[in-house]
Amino acid sequence: MTVSTYGEHAENAAQALNALIRDDAIPADEHAVDQLLHCREAVVDALRQRLYDVGQDTWYPPPDHLPSRTPKPMLAGLDEKLATLVDNIAFALPSLTLDERRPHSDYLTPASQDPTVESWRTAAIELLSASHTLSAAEEQPWRTDPGAGWWVMRDVAVALEAVLVLDSRLEEVGLLTEHQHPEFAMGLDEKRMVLSQTARVAAWHATSAAAEEATPRLPQAPASTVVEPVSLVSAPTDLAAAQQRLGRFLRPMMASDAFYADEPEITADSARQVTASQLYLCRAFAAAARQSPKTSMFAAFFADRAEVLEELQPQISHLADVTPAQEPNMRRFWQQSELTTAVARMEDQGVPIRLQPTQMAELAKATHEVTHNLGKSLRRELLRTKSNLIDAHPRHRDGPVRVGRRSRLEATLTDLVNMPAPSEPAARFSNPLQRAALQQSLNLTPTTSARPPTPFPAARSATYGAPAL
């Protein structure tokens, strides 16, 4: 199944908005106008939702449905207020009353024969889809990383400015007179100034394109402990999928799980095998990452994992099971053996592990999941009341002992669990052509005005003090 990304939806929406600005046409048919106004409402709702997803605390509808009067913007410190001003502008757009609203399916499902209405419908569908993608994404760095947040804010600012231009045309023919109009201090030109400055500041500070590849989280079937097969590795591109499968096998069970019967989370042999094998793999992945400048930023990630695993390995060399028990999930052994054997075979046959940056990023994420779940399951098993693991090191005169809190082994496992996930490589704008075209169209579309402003200072005298000829 193919899932569209946020970037694809944003490009399609920008193309539709650009067509509306360039065509400057309004339908005359009553049903077409009704569908147009409801599609416009969906466009506004989508942009408001996206502002919420980048950290604005306002939730639609706000108190009393409309925002309070906002003071005029001051130029001093304007860039620090841009996010709030954009949010205020979005919530000050004319809105249909709540009793006039209809479900999206009523006006987004039927296609229109009118090209203007169809462009509004396309813009509404794509903007709603883009905002839903951000809301339902599994990882949402744009809520915490300013570089990723500015990327999304730029799209919101450009789309909002397009809506303002289109609204001015609808207001000219009286199509927004029945809408609710909140009292707002800024005029149209001032709003456009704020939004254009927001897009400019976003271009300066957007350093991560993480939102471009964002997709909504798909519903997944619960992890099986019975029939899920081992992922085979025949090429370097299969490594990430195999590591992901191993990470799922190592995920500790919760006491609330229906199939949890208080059995051991992990056995001593399994912990030693996975630790030693992951140490070998991390070293191999670090060497592979260093082979290309595009993936070299991941070498330190794998090397740091290998350092902690190297410290952990001798500390668990004398772990033993209190009651000899079968490993609760034998596929951990099988999957880890498949990974180790495949990488060793590649090294023996001279097959280099060459991956694209996105593939190396997936491998780093999967490796993080494996080491995180290994540390978490082993630590939980060591510290639980009925633990089946003991430290049988010969240095203990009175025999094997339990591993307690604040011990060296517990501290090392805590370090392994708390190691950060790999960060996405910084990216510049990836060539969003339709959004750039929309922004260019806005730059060339003046606000409707009876008289254009003069480019000369208002206080300049008509004479320059030169002698008359």
Side-chain angles (χ1 to χ4, degrees):
M1 181 174 62
T2 302
V3 180
S4 298
T5 63
Y6 165 81
E8 293 170 342
H9 289 304
E11 285 288 277
N12 294 335
Q15 185 177 18
L17 291 174
N18 199 7
L20 289 170
I21 290 175
R22 287 186 285 101
D23 293 342
D24 192 10
I26 298 177
D29 181 72
E30 181 180 354
H31 295 289
V33 170
D34 181 70
Q35 186 177 4
L36 182 153
L37 294 178
H38 280 85
C39 289
R40 174 203 168 274
E41 199 72 18
V43 167
V44 174
D45 288 345
L47 294 175
R48 289 168 175 168
Q49 172 64 36
R50 204 175 308 175
L51 284 168
Y52 178 81
D53 286 327
V54 293
Q56 295 297 325
D57 294 330
T58 306
W59 176 253
Y60 185 79
D64 299 328
H65 183 60
L66 294 173
S68 59
R69 182 178 176 86
T70 304
K72 290 188 176 182
M74 302 296 293
L75 291 180
L78 178 64
D79 290 356
E80 299 298 327
K81 309 170 189 174
L82 287 176
T84 302
L85 290 173
V86 170
D87 187 60
N88 290 336
I89 292 171
F91 279 93
L93 290 171
S95 300
L96 289 170
T97 58
L98 295 179
D99 57 344
E100 292 181 350
R101 287 172 164 265
R102 300 204 305 268
H104 290 164
S105 57
D106 290 353
Y107 52 87
L108 294 182
T109 302
S112 176
Q113 298 298 324
D114 188 285
T116 301
V117 177
E118 186 61 20
S119 294
W120 272 109
R121 191 179 75 93
T122 301
I125 292 173
E126 296 296 342
L127 286 173
L128 285 171
S129 300
S131 296
H132 169 71
T133 298
L134 297 186
S135 300
E138 186 169 3
E139 298 179 1
Q140 301 181 358
W142 45 87
R143 293 185 65 92
T144 55
D145 179 14
W150 275 119
W151 183 283
V152 178
M153 185 63 74
R154 182 204 59 159
D155 293 344
V156 174
V158 174
L160 265 180
E161 188 178 359
V163 172
L164 288 178
V165 173
L166 297 171
D167 276 2
S168 67
R169 299 172 181 176
L170 296 176
E171 286 178 345
E172 281 185 335
V173 295
L175 293 183
L176 300 182
T177 54
E178 301 297 327
H179 287 57
Q180 290 182 312
H181 289 72
E183 186 179 7
F184 204 78
M186 285 193 290
L188 177 57
D189 289 334
E190 293 167 317
K191 293 176 183 177
R192 292 192 64 181
M193 179 197 72
V194 169
L195 294 173
S196 60
Q197 175 65 7
T198 302
R200 186 179 298 107
V201 172
W204 296 338
H205 300 296
T207 57
S208 173
E212 286 293 283
E213 302 300 325
T215 55
R217 180 176 58 252
L218 298 177
Q220 297 180 352
S224 168
T225 59
V226 180
V227 298
E228 190 173 9
V230 169
S231 181
L232 299 180
V233 180
S234 59
T237 54
D238 300 329
L239 291 170
Q243 283 280 72
Q244 290 173 354
R245 187 66 55 85
L246 177 59
R248 288 199 292 270
F249 293 158
L250 286 168
R251 186 180 302 156
M253 296 187 70
M254 306 296 292
S256 59
D257 291 343
F259 296 100
Y260 182 63
D262 205 27
E263 66 267 29
E265 293 282 1
I266 190 170
T267 62
D269 287 342
S270 180
R272 279 191 288 268
Q273 187 228 21
V274 175
T275 300
S277 298
Q278 286 297 314
L279 174 59
Y280 165 72
L281 292 178
C282 284
R283 288 171 174 169
F285 296 158
R290 296 189 190 98
Q291 294 178 2
S292 171
K294 296 181 179 180
T295 59
S296 59
M297 75 283 292
F298 294 105
F301 168 83
F302 291 115
D304 292 342
R305 285 293 190 286
E307 183 178 350
V308 178
L309 291 171
E310 187 177 11
E311 182 181 355
L312 175 64
Q313 190 175 20
Q315 298 178 32
I316 62 175
S317 60
H318 292 90
L319 283 183
D321 298 313
V322 175
T323 302
Q326 184 178 1
E327 165 61 36
N329 191 346
M330 285 299 296
R331 290 171 304 166
R332 297 171 179 173
F333 279 108
W334 303 333
Q335 185 65 77
Q336 185 62 78
S337 299
E338 172 67 17
L339 276 160
T340 309
T341 303
V343 173
R345 182 176 64 250
M346 293 176 192
E347 291 183 347
D348 292 342
Q349 296 177 356
V351 178
I353 302 177
R354 292 177 181 173
L355 299 174
Q356 297 296 324
T358 54
Q359 295 171 330
M360 188 65 75
E362 288 298 318
L363 181 59
K365 290 180 181 179
T367 302
H368 168 74
E369 184 179 1
V370 170
T371 55
H372 177 83
N373 289 345
L374 169 64
K376 190 174 181 179
S377 59
L378 182 54
R379 184 176 181 273
R380 283 181 53 179
E381 178 60 32
L382 288 170
L383 299 181
R384 75 186 183 109
T385 305
K386 298 180 181 179
S387 175
N388 194 51
L389 292 179
I390 53 176
D391 183 4
H393 198 283
R395 68 172 178 270
H396 301 302
R397 297 180 180 180
D398 299 330
V401 298
R402 284 284 307 273
V403 177
R405 293 186 179 275
R406 293 181 292 277
S407 62
R408 183 187 173 194
L409 176 54
E410 194 266 344
T412 304
L413 289 174
T414 302
D415 291 341
L416 184 62
V417 171
N418 292 332
M419 292 195 76
S423 58
E424 292 289 342
R428 299 305 302 169
F429 289 117
S430 60
N431 199 21
L433 296 179
Q434 296 299 334
R435 280 166 281 180
L438 174 59
Q439 191 169 3
Q440 181 65 21
S441 295
L442 291 170
N443 292 339
L444 299 176
T445 304
T447 302
T448 303
S449 177
R451 185 179 65 180
T454 174
F456 308 110
R460 176 173 292 180
S461 174
T463 60
Y464 296 89
L469 296 177

